[in-house]
């Protein structure tokens, strides 16, 4: 199974997602690596609809998603992230 550290490393090192300014990866499966919840903030998401953002992330984690049972993601631009933090 995957670990939070592995998921974080894979996301941060991907060229598809560019410079990730904020990243949260939480293992929601009590440590077995089957369910993850993420928040990914990148300027690469600028101008992209939600579905395209998710497809970018899915492409990066293609191999990992074959064994992960559930993967929840919030994909935000830096501007959206700042608004979220302010509210």
């Amino acid at each position: 199974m995957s670990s939070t550290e592995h998921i974080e490393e894979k996301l941060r090192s991907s060229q598809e997602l560019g410079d990730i300014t904020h990243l949260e990866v939480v293992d929601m499966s009590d440590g077995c690596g089957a369910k993850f919840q993420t928040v990914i903030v990148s300027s690469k998401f600028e101008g992209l609809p939600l579905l395209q953002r998710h497809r970018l992330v899915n492409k990066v984690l293609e191999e990992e998603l074959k064994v992960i049972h559930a993967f929840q993601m919030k994909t935000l631009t830096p501007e959206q992230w700042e608004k979220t933090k302010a509210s």
Side-chain angles (χ1 to χ4, degrees):
M1 286 294 167
S2 296
S3 68
T4 56
E5 294 83 11
H6 176 76
I7 300 290
E8 287 176 10
E9 171 65 26
K10 190 85 181 253
L11 292 170
R12 285 199 185 276
S13 65
S14 76
Q15 293 184 356
E16 289 91 346
L17 298 178
D19 184 30
I20 294 176
T21 55
H22 180 80
L23 179 61
E24 296 174 23
V25 180
V26 179
D27 185 343
M28 304 298 288
S29 60
D30 297 323
C32 76
K35 294 191 297 185
F36 292 93
Q37 183 177 32
T38 63
V39 177
I40 307 163
V41 180
S42 173
S43 58
K44 285 278 189 168
F45 297 142
E46 298 278 349
L48 295 179
L50 185 63
L51 183 58
Q52 283 184 304
R53 294 175 184 192
H54 286 197
R55 284 181 176 158
L56 276 176
V57 174
N58 288 344
K59 182 179 175 187
V60 171
L61 297 176
E62 184 176 2
E63 290 302 313
E64 291 76 8
L65 291 175
K66 291 177 182 178
V67 294
I68 293 174
H69 175 69
F71 188 80
Q72 181 182 40
M73 66 180 107
K74 288 185 182 178
T75 51
L76 305 169
T77 65
E79 182 181 344
Q80 291 170 324
W81 175 244
E82 290 303 319
K83 286 180 183 175
T84 301
K85 288 191 329 184
S87 57

